[in-house]
Amino acid sequence: MIFMGAHCFTLVPASLPLWQTKKRYDPHLRYKFPPVSYLESSKTSSTFNGHRRNCECFDLYQEQVPYSVAWSWQKEIVKEKKAQIEREGDCTDTLIILQHQPVYTLGTGSSIENLNFSMEDAPFDIYRTERGGEVTYHGPGQIVMYPIINLRNHRMDLHWYFRGLEEVVIRVLSSTFSIKASRLDGLTGVWVGDQKLAAIGIRVSNWITYHGLALNVTTDLTPFQWIVPCGIRDRGVGSIKGLLRACQSYTGYEKADDSLLIDIAHKSLIMEFSEVFQLEYHHKTMPTAELYGSEQHN
């Protein structure tokens, strides 16, 4: 069950599916990650001191990218970064921002007991991944950030990295939407009361991170009812849109449409991620042909 209490706040996140009922053409395969040499780069400086690291940013926040595609991108980039470190001793950081088509993902230790449906009749594709954490849902209206960064150049401390990702979301909610969010002892993610607004699940290989955080902005929360989100049975899931509508105080965004809320949350996430991790973005644009490929298939 999802608990949608009216929390008010004060001013101040490819492999084949685990289960497929039948073989069919997978339109996800039309997505291919383009070689870096084919990417058009534009530099957006947010440097306020001389010590920020470069971060290439693939900003697809308006795209609903299939999970299998984004997962493949991440693994390929991690592989390339490891090779670059062997050759040159260092690598740049990368950030991918997007939305997903509806999907459930499970972490390494996830239990199918946290699925409230039969695997033979799953409402969406399910992927078991190498990230930590339990089952969660990704879908439209949820902004997902996949940082692929070399922690050797930041801090080789996973606790610090988790808290940094949480800090990004807490700052976004506070500074942009006047929502006072917090951490909960013993649990990852970002919370407003008993509602979890951002889930975090990561993988680190040779101190290079991937997977990341997902922030519910205008997400339809119904699919969370069909799972036990993050394996937590006594708490619910919320969204920025839901909290803004439920609160009696006025923040200026109560009647904003979904696309505007997504735009605002995206801009704030970009800024706060840069601040928390001290990064300077170099935006990379994927050519349309490389992103979508041919609509024809065999």
Side-chain angles (χ1 to χ4, degrees):
M1 174 178 291
I2 296 178
F3 301 95
M4 292 296 292
H7 294 287
C8 288
F9 24 85
T10 57
L11 293 176
V12 279
S15 299
L16 290 175
L18 184 64
W19 176 263
Q20 283 186 315
T21 57
K22 61 182 179 179
K23 292 183 178 180
R24 59 186 184 274
Y25 165 69
D26 184 358
H28 301 180
L29 297 179
R30 74 182 187 275
Y31 288 77
K32 294 183 179 180
F33 188 81
V36 172
S37 60
Y38 294 144
L39 298 175
E40 179 183 351
S41 176
S42 62
K43 179 178 177 181
T44 300
S45 176
S46 57
T47 303
F48 299 102
N49 57 55
H51 304 289
R52 295 199 173 204
R53 286 185 55 78
N54 291 331
C55 179
E56 59 181 11
C57 180
F58 297 99
D59 194 346
L60 305 170
Y61 82 100
Q62 293 180 321
E63 299 281 347
Q64 294 179 20
V65 179
Y67 186 82
S68 58
V69 174
W71 191 13
S72 294
W73 290 350
Q74 293 178 75
K75 289 185 285 188
E76 182 63 27
I77 293 173
V78 169
K79 180 180 178 181
E80 292 175 357
K81 290 189 185 303
K82 288 179 179 179
Q84 185 180 2
I85 289 173
E86 289 184 3
R87 294 191 310 268
E88 305 170 15
D90 197 4
C91 66
T92 58
D93 293 332
T94 297
L95 176 64
I96 302 172
I97 309 170
L98 46 73
Q99 298 178 55
H100 279 307
Q101 297 172 1
V103 66
Y104 290 118
T105 69
L106 294 85
T108 53
S110 295
S111 170
I112 61 173
E113 294 180 358
N114 288 322
L115 304 178
N116 298 328
F117 51 78
S118 168
M119 295 291 289
E120 289 77 13
D121 192 28
F124 309 115
D125 283 343
I126 307 171
Y127 293 88
R128 185 176 290 279
T129 76
E130 65 278 272
R131 66 162 173 80
E134 258 290 348
V135 61
T136 194
Y137 165 77
H138 297 304
Q142 180 190 77
I143 299 181
V144 180
M145 301 183 77
Y146 291 128
I148 308 174
I149 64 177
N150 183 3
L151 289 180
R152 295 180 184 87
N153 295 312
H154 295 269
R155 187 180 299 179
M156 295 166 68
D157 182 336
L158 297 188
H159 179 81
W160 171 85
Y161 182 58
F162 271 111
R163 302 295 81 81
L165 293 178
E166 292 167 347
E167 180 66 18
V168 170
V169 177
I170 289 171
R171 290 187 182 193
V172 168
L173 295 175
S174 174
S175 64
T176 301
F177 297 102
S178 298
I179 297 174
K180 185 176 181 180
S182 63
R183 303 174 177 89
L184 293 182
D185 290 342
L187 299 174
T188 60
V190 176
W191 303 77
V192 177
D194 286 337
Q195 296 185 23
K196 189 171 190 176
L197 266 67
I200 296 173
I202 68 168
R203 177 77 174 184
V204 177
S205 177
N206 293 347
W207 293 108
I208 298 175
T209 71
Y210 59 118
H211 296 284
L213 69 84
L215 173 61
N216 296 328
V217 183
T218 63
T219 322
D220 177 5
L221 302 179
T222 303
F224 285 105
Q225 298 181 24
W226 304 330
I227 61 175
V228 180
C230 303
I232 303 172
R233 295 183 178 274
D234 60 346
R235 299 180 187 275
V237 177
S239 68
I240 292 175
K241 178 181 177 180
L243 289 174
L244 291 175
R245 300 296 189 271
C247 187
Q248 299 302 312
S249 63
Y250 294 95
T251 63
Y253 297 120
E254 291 79 9
K255 296 183 179 180
D257 62 26
D258 286 6
S259 61
L260 178 58
L261 286 176
I262 289 288
D263 288 345
I264 294 167
H266 157 261
K267 182 177 180 180
S268 186
L269 280 166
I270 286 280
M271 180 181 70
E272 298 297 352
F273 189 85
S274 171
E275 289 299 310
V276 169
F277 291 99
Q278 291 291 285
L279 295 170
E280 177 182 348
Y281 296 121
H282 297 256
H283 290 274
K284 304 253 181 174
T285 302
M286 294 183 184
T288 302
E290 292 289 347
L291 179 59
Y292 293 101
S294 173
E295 292 298 322
Q296 299 180 350
H297 59 271
N298 296 325

